[in-house]
Amino acid sequence: MDTIVTPRHVGILTSGGDCPGLNAAIRGIVRAGHAMGIRFTGFRDGFRGLVHDRTMELDDAILSGILTNGGTILGTSRDKPHRMMIGGKMQDMTGAIVDTYRRHHLDALVCLGGGGTQKNALHLKQAGLNILTLPKTIDNDVALTDITFGFDTALGIATEAIDRLHSTATSHRRIIVVEIMGHRAGWLALGAGIAGGADVILIPEIPYDIDKVTASIRARTLAGKRFSIVAVAEGAMSLEEAAKTEALVRKLDNATSKAEKKKAADKLTALQEAHVEHTVRLTRRLEEMVGQEARLTILGHLQRGGTPSAGDRVLATQLGTRCAELLRDGVSGVMVAARNGGAEPVPLEEVAGQKKLVPRDHPWVTAARLVGASFGD
Ligand code: F6P
């Protein structure tokens, strides 16, 4: 954690995938910050906005009505400062970003983002900028924060989808597989699976055995149930896929040449990103192995769009206003984390590169098992 003099001019950007609550957080930072005498300039489209100097003055008028809006008024992108496609070439734009920061006489920069953004923020801190971050993502996988904003809204959307799938599943005596976002973490599928009463919940942290999944569906049929709902996290893996992934990670760690490293990394990315193919294959196998008609629903970006839930508005406002207080107190080099009902600064060095996955013995996993959900393990 670093201490600087109270900043007078602060930049704000949103980076990574958008999520509900970003505008509420921007409003929280700026409203509270204005009252403390801080001026804010927004940079559009993530870190790219700092490279191309795309700005938006964040005055009081612009904040009107944004609390309830999804997305981000600043726009976002997945660009990284040190690896950005410019003119068809991948370039390190750290120097250009530092120049823009200095040219605008910024005293600090607030980056609202997920796991990738925490790493990029640390990189810019190491380049000499005063940086604070806020943890946002529907995946809830940012380390050292109890929760991220965006998660609660997505949880509500995915739960409603499972609720709706029940009536059509039972009418047709079908298995319905529903793919839920979450990147490599199972928080969203697990939460929605519990809240929606899914019969099978498959998450990346608990690789599944297809025979055990089919056995649990057959047991339901024998018990007279007409349907089964299978909630699958986009990062879910069978035991075989998990073994393949582990072998590739080992190869990557032990690679001695650049070419070898690239080959293993490309294979790993291809395997991890083939989630739609995986879920389609899983649905077909369940249909064949159980002998019951199956259908697949992929919720996709619906889970990230639209109005933030009340919970996300409260959380984003709490983290945003705490961020303003930390700015006022001259604190930088931290993520403003949700901890024990409050908001606390956590050093970027401790957050960057970490991921919060679902522990196999998490109380949510236990609760799901106790109400009869199968994890296929
Ligand atoms: O990180 C949020 C998230 O929605 C993940 O759940 C998902 O894997 C990813 O973003 C999708 O990214 P994109 O919007 O770039 O397709």
Side-chain angles (χ1 to χ4, degrees):
M1 196 152 87
D2 306 326
T3 317
I4 53 173
V5 287
T6 299
R8 291 204 313 236
H9 186 199
V10 173
I12 302 188
L13 60 82
T14 52
S15 170
D18 74 327
C19 75
L22 279 167
N23 288 326
I26 293 170
R27 174 179 173 271
I29 302 167
V30 177
R31 273 251 169 108
H34 278 171
M36 297 166 186
I38 304 170
R39 180 185 147 220
F40 293 91
T41 297
F43 288 87
R44 295 174 190 266
D45 310 323
F47 294 102
R48 186 167 287 269
L50 275 155
V51 171
H52 297 302
D53 203 5
R54 294 182 196 149
T55 61
M56 177 192 268
E57 210 47 43
L58 294 172
D59 54 21
D60 277 331
I62 224 153
L63 304 179
S64 284
I66 69 168
L67 173 66
T68 55
N69 293 346
T72 159
I73 55 165
L74 292 172
T76 187
S77 71
R78 293 199 182 274
D79 292 309
K80 301 180 177 76
H82 59 290
R83 269 177 62 79
M84 200 177 290
M85 193 60 89
I86 303 279
K89 256 179 49 195
M90 200 57 95
Q91 299 189 41
D92 182 350
M93 301 310 289
T94 310
I97 289 175
V98 173
D99 286 349
T100 307
Y101 179 97
R102 304 257 182 256
R103 208 170 42 252
H104 282 273
H105 302 289
L106 295 179
D107 300 306
L109 176 70
V110 181
C111 306
L112 282 61
T117 303
Q118 311 306 323
K119 276 203 249 177
N120 293 327
L122 177 62
H123 172 77
L124 291 181
K125 182 200 152 170
Q126 286 161 347
L129 308 191
N130 296 320
I131 307 272
L132 289 91
T133 67
L134 257 63
K136 70 90 199 132
T137 167
I138 65 164
D139 304 337
N140 195 32
D141 60 352
V142 178
L144 300 177
T145 182
D146 293 344
I147 190 164
T148 55
F149 57 86
F151 176 67
D152 184 63
T153 309
L155 182 60
I157 297 168
T159 301
E160 193 197 331
I162 296 179
D163 289 349
R164 288 180 181 276
L165 290 171
H166 269 87
S167 61
T168 175
T170 188
S171 303
H172 287 267
R173 282 188 179 272
R174 281 175 175 158
I175 297 168
I176 294 201
V177 176
V178 49
E179 188 194 277
I180 296 170
M181 276 188 169
H183 202 224
R184 315 249 188 279
W187 294 107
L188 199 51
L190 175 60
I194 294 171
D199 308 298
V200 178
I201 302 174
L202 304 179
I203 60 173
E205 295 87 346
I206 307 179
Y208 65 87
D209 175 340
I210 189 79
D211 291 326
K212 295 203 171 140
V213 176
T214 52
S216 73
I217 297 176
R218 276 200 213 100
R220 280 179 54 79
T221 313
L222 282 177
K225 308 282 186 190
R226 292 172 59 87
F227 69 95
S228 289
I229 302 282
V230 182
V232 188
E234 61 180 353
M237 283 182 282
S238 64
L239 287 167
E240 298 75 24
E241 285 156 343
K244 252 192 222 165
T245 306
E246 252 175 53
L248 282 170
V249 170
R250 264 200 310 276
K251 234 186 198 164
L252 190 61
D253 288 345
N254 299 332
T256 47
S257 69
K258 233 180 170 180
E260 228 180 296
K261 209 171 207 155
K262 187 175 177 326
K263 202 169 157 198
D266 287 350
K267 273 195 182 166
L268 187 61
T269 311
L271 185 67
Q272 290 174 327
E273 293 196 342
H275 58 88
V276 174
E277 291 84 339
H278 166 263
T279 323
V280 169
R281 212 166 42 239
L282 171 69
T283 309
R284 297 250 177 292
R285 286 191 79 190
L286 292 180
E287 184 167 82
E288 285 160 18
M289 291 173 75
V290 179
Q292 186 176 1
E293 205 173 31
R295 290 288 187 271
L296 168 61
T297 299
I298 297 179
L299 298 180
H301 292 81
L302 271 179
Q303 294 160 104
R304 265 184 18 203
T307 309
S309 66
D312 273 337
R313 294 181 208 181
V314 173
L315 177 64
T317 303
Q318 188 186 0
L319 297 186
T321 52
R322 183 78 185 107
C323 178
E325 286 182 327
L326 291 167
L327 283 166
R328 178 200 58 202
D329 297 343
V331 174
S332 85
V334 296
M335 175 180 85
V336 188
R339 306 276 283 251
N340 310 315
E344 290 172 17
V346 178
L348 283 175
E349 288 81 357
E350 289 178 21
V351 184
Q354 305 299 321
K355 218 178 226 322
K356 186 180 71 183
L357 298 176
V358 178
R360 290 181 78 113
D361 59 351
H362 190 274
W364 285 11
V365 175
T366 309
R369 290 192 197 278
L370 288 172
V371 290
S374 163
F375 285 83
D377 63 337

